[in-house]
Amino acid sequence: MALIVGLTGGIVGGKSTVALMFKDLGAKIVDADKLGHSVILPHRPAWERITRLLGKDILRNDLTIDRKQLSKIVFTNQTLLNKLNEITHPEIIKLIKKEINLAKNKTHSQEKILIIDAALIYEAKIDRLMDKIVVVYIDEDEQIKRLIKRNNLSKDEALQRIKSQMPMKEKAETADYVIDNSSSLDETKKQVEKIWQSLVSQN
């Protein structure tokens, strides 16, 4: 039976980079972001509800939701963000549960360790589905800098997005493992390898 590991952190914390490192070591990765993209594809139930909530102006010509525009709208309006999460989270959680069930079914699963790469493990209350949780940590100042640079945001906009998630310190305090991703990639990789050895020894 596979060990189910939640991999989480804050926005622009380097979680995806760490997921790739775990993948190279032999983990199977389930990317909640990709699942999130799939549940809002045209004419799916979440797409229907989002377009009812926000109107057709958020659609591109091919009817896909313009995710950049969607982010701009919801990150400046907490009520809309909550409503969006209420629409998308249950759909994403359904898919995550499906992957977990497959991994726990010995006949289907060759993988020893399944990693659920998801920013909102605690916020969506799916931490109880995980055997272990790894948090990728950077401090808030570094987070603000990276977010301004990556998304071309003002400091206020960056802070709004960071505040929409549970504080990174709180996540780190409740995790089984914490990876400090504020230094070099080599340093991060060393921490990943150490955690991997620990996970493998538990399986």
Side-chain angles (χ1 to χ4, degrees):
M1 196 191 291
L3 189 72
I4 313 301
V5 180
L7 176 66
T8 191
I11 192 165
V12 296
K15 188 172 53 60
S16 302
T17 305
V18 167
L20 284 173
M21 290 176 181
F22 276 120
K23 188 181 179 184
D24 287 343
L25 291 167
K28 183 186 177 189
I29 309 292
V30 172
D31 184 340
D33 251 2
K34 283 186 183 155
L35 299 181
H37 298 177
S38 72
V39 302
I40 62 166
L41 286 172
H43 308 298
R44 295 213 169 166
W47 179 92
E48 301 279 2
R49 290 177 67 193
I50 292 166
T51 50
R52 273 203 302 273
L53 177 69
L54 299 171
K56 296 283 170 81
D57 288 346
I58 59 158
L59 299 180
R60 296 193 188 95
N61 292 337
D62 62 359
L63 297 183
T64 57
I65 289 172
D66 184 334
R67 290 174 61 252
K68 230 177 197 175
Q69 204 188 332
L70 179 67
S71 296
K72 264 188 179 163
I73 295 166
V74 298
F75 282 114
T76 54
N77 184 321
Q78 191 60 45
T79 307
L80 284 179
L81 180 61
N82 292 341
K83 281 183 179 169
L84 178 68
N85 289 341
E86 280 165 22
I87 292 168
T88 57
H89 282 181
E91 299 290 328
I92 296 166
I93 290 165
K94 248 187 258 177
L95 296 175
I96 287 173
K97 282 181 174 172
K98 197 176 164 186
E99 291 285 353
I100 289 172
N101 288 335
L102 277 176
K104 286 191 168 175
N105 180 337
K106 276 183 187 163
T107 54
H108 280 283
S109 174
Q110 300 311 311
E111 293 86 14
K112 297 288 181 201
I113 294 172
L114 178 75
I115 291 185
I116 311 292
D117 171 6
L120 301 176
I121 282 175
Y122 289 113
E123 292 87 339
K125 297 184 170 50
I126 55 170
D127 49 308
R128 59 198 168 74
L129 302 176
M130 315 295 162
D131 299 315
K132 296 288 171 191
I133 293 186
V134 179
V135 165
V136 183
Y137 181 87
I138 56 170
D139 66 38
E140 197 175 90
D141 289 344
E142 182 62 26
Q143 218 180 348
I144 292 165
K145 264 191 275 183
R146 288 185 191 185
L147 195 50
I148 288 169
K149 193 177 172 186
R150 190 191 77 175
N151 289 39
N152 199 18
L153 302 175
S154 68
K155 189 177 179 181
D156 280 350
E157 285 171 326
L159 265 169
Q160 252 171 349
R161 295 198 183 193
I162 290 163
K163 299 292 181 203
S164 75
Q165 297 184 345
M166 179 177 161
M168 196 95 86
K169 272 186 179 159
E170 273 182 48
K171 289 183 180 183
E173 280 163 14
T174 50
D176 298 287
Y177 303 96
V178 178
I179 293 170
D180 181 355
N181 193 33
S182 51
S183 189
S184 67
L185 273 178
D186 275 351
E187 283 302 312
T188 300
K189 198 173 180 186
K190 279 178 199 164
Q191 295 172 73
V192 169
E193 285 167 352
K194 195 174 173 188
I195 291 168
W196 178 253
Q197 291 308 321
S198 172
L199 294 172
V200 168
S201 70
Q202 293 170 54
N203 198 339

